[in-house]
Amino acid sequence: MALTVKQRFFLAILVLAFPLSAISGDPDILSDFVVPIGVNATLLGGNFFTYTGMRPLINSDPPTNFTVTKATMAEFPALNGQSVSYAVLEYPAGSVNPPHTHPRAAELLFLTYGILEVGFVDTTSKLFTQILQAGDIFVFPKGLVHYQFNCAESDFAVAVSAFGSAAAGTVSVPSTVFATNIDDEILAKSFKTDVQTIQKLKAGFAPKA
Ligand SMILES: *[C@@H]1O[C@H](CO)[C@@H](O)[C@H](O)[C@H]1NC(C)=O
Ligand SMILES: *[C@@H]1O[C@H](CO)[C@@H](O)[C@H](O)[C@H]1NC(C)=O
């Protein structure tokens, strides 16, 4: 069957688009790794490629509030250009990681201990939720608003999240909206409520005296 001009055009677009869609991580680098400015590359050893900042988590008591410990490019410079990073998430019973997005990466969450209710909302406003058991892996697609909640009555939960970027970034929905001085009237109109309600919400994010 001969292809019409339109079909040919469409095929060309697909062929051109495919390599682009395959480049979903950070921009590629033209060297094996990125040596930080001011560091003598010949003096680099295994330590540069080792991050020990998670060691204190291994034998410490679980924290009393929700805690994230990151190993991104900021903490671990060897990740620069490698398109990967980690975060360890610890949730006391009943704690929540509020709705947020990672603008530059998908998140692959591996629940290593406890139970965890997770959810994300896609661009059609459809909510996807799941209750994970230890050993389960859940993926939060890149850029979508998502959250986690430890729905256990008394036990904590621990998860390890991998990101497809060395600097995935985090945009917290509540603090982005209510802790950045966006005008009260604009927020009241946006949330279809009154200014007093907005001010009450903002008060919860005011720096504690
Ligand atoms: C880097 O370190 C090597 C080994 O100590 C030394 O020979 C070299 O001069 C250093 N290079 C720079 C630019 O400092
Ligand atoms: C959260 O918990 C950690 C460790 O238990 C503690 O150091 C920190 O001050 C707590 N943060 C808040 C905001 O309560």
Side-chain angles (χ1 to χ4, degrees):
M1 193 187 79
L3 296 177
T4 66
V5 171
K6 198 173 167 192
Q7 283 169 332
R8 275 172 212 268
F9 179 74
F10 210 73
L11 210 61
I13 294 287
L14 277 177
V15 169
L16 284 174
F18 182 73
L20 291 177
S21 66
I23 305 167
S24 56
D26 300 341
D28 221 346
I29 55 173
L30 300 176
S31 54
D32 297 343
F33 47 86
V34 177
V35 178
I37 291 161
V39 172
N40 184 336
T42 62
L43 301 179
L44 283 186
N47 282 350
F48 176 67
F49 300 95
T50 309
Y51 183 66
T52 59
M54 300 286 183
R55 278 189 193 174
L57 302 183
I58 300 301
N59 289 314
S60 61
D61 290 336
T64 53
N65 49 53
F66 167 68
T67 305
V68 186
T69 311
K70 295 175 183 174
T72 72
M73 195 177 106
E75 298 81 20
F76 185 12
L79 297 186
N80 188 7
Q82 304 301 329
S83 296
V84 289
S85 57
Y86 265 143
V88 174
L89 308 130
E90 298 171 286
Y91 314 80
S95 67
V96 68
N97 183 5
H100 62 281
T101 75
H102 302 292
R104 291 181 287 278
E107 172 175 357
L108 193 58
L109 180 146
F110 176 28
L111 186 65
T112 58
Y113 182 85
I115 60 169
L116 198 63
E117 182 173 336
V118 298
F120 72 85
V121 180
D122 74 6
T123 57
T124 69
S125 294
K126 181 174 175 180
L127 172 67
F128 298 80
T129 63
Q130 187 62 277
I131 295 180
L132 305 177
Q133 299 182 25
D136 293 351
I137 294 175
F138 192 85
V139 63
F140 300 102
K142 181 174 175 173
L144 300 183
V145 171
H146 61 280
Y147 59 86
Q148 298 110 28
F149 168 57
N150 179 355
C151 50
E153 296 220 340
S154 59
D155 209 0
F156 66 99
V158 181
V160 179
S161 277
F163 298 87
S165 168
T170 299
V171 177
S172 168
V173 175
S175 59
T176 297
V177 174
F178 296 112
T180 55
N181 288 324
I182 299 177
D183 186 82
D184 290 351
E185 298 247 7
I186 292 172
L187 289 180
K189 281 197 162 88
S190 305
F191 285 84
K192 305 190 196 307
T193 185
D194 50 51
V195 164
Q196 288 89 326
T197 304
I198 294 299
Q199 285 171 348
K200 213 169 157 185
L201 285 163
K202 281 187 170 181
F205 292 91
K208 305 272 181 291

